[in-house]
């Protein structure tokens, strides 16, 4: 089943990359079928070249499989062309989960209702570059 635009539905942009957050995108797309919102785009890290093949992130591949109409893979969240594309999408809200980049002010000012950041660690206890690993090391 594909993701289609629904009249009056809130526009959601999801940002994520690794396989551990695929469940978030999956649930967003499943729940969007109720008509309250639509996942109008997914933003993920750019594909990497592995030997001679190009490797997309797990979230990028899932977004394509689920039929999300736009998958954006900017070189940086600060990229002007990307920010122009995001503004053109007119998102009501952005949802981030392990996207892996600092989001600039211009990005944060774009969604009408703001940005929600989902995080698997115990915040604010485990902050920093590797909160999940620190949480596991502590036995939390």
């Amino acid at each position: 089943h594909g993701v289609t635009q629904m009249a009056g539905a809130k526009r959601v942009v999801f940002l994520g990359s690794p396989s551990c957050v695929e469940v978030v995108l999956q649930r967003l797309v499943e729940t969007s079928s109720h008509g309250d919102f639509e996942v109008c785009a997914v933003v993920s890290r750019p594909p990497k070249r592995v030997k001679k093949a190009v490797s997309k992130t797990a979230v990028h591949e899932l977004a394509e499989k689920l039929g999300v109409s736009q998958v954006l893979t900017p070189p940086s969240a600060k990229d002007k062309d990307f920010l122009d594309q995001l503004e053109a999408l007119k998102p009501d809200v952005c949802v981030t989960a392990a996207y892996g980049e600092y989001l600039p002010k211009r990005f944060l000012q774009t969604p009408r209702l703001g940005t929600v950041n989902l995080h698997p660690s115990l915040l604010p206890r485990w902050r920093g570059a590797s909160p999940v690993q620190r949480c596991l090391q502590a036995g939390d």
Side-chain angles (χ1 to χ4, degrees), residues 14 16-19 22 25-26 42-48 50 53-68 71-73:
F14 176 75
S17 295
S19 60
E22 285 178 300
L25 176 58
Q26 181 77 42
V42 167
V43 180
S44 196
R45 302 294 302 217
K48 293 181 179 178
V50 179
V54 175
S55 176
K56 298 175 183 175
T57 68
V59 165
H60 184 158
E61 289 185 1
L62 178 61
E64 289 178 343
K65 178 181 167 189
L66 294 173
V68 175
V71 179
L72 307 174
T73 58

Side-chain angles (χ1 to χ4, degrees), residues 31-58:
T31 308
S32 73
S33 67
H34 300 298
D36 296 328
F37 67 91
E38 64 165 317
V39 179
C40 62
V42 167
V43 180
S44 196
R45 302 294 302 217
K48 293 181 179 178
R49 185 165 294 283
V50 179
K51 297 189 181 181
K52 293 184 182 194
V54 175
S55 176
K56 298 175 183 175
T57 68

Side-chain angles (χ1 to χ4, degrees), residues 82-94:
F82 162 64
L83 293 169
D84 291 345
Q85 286 179 298
L86 182 69
E87 288 170 352
L89 287 169
K90 298 188 183 323
D92 292 295
V93 67
C94 290

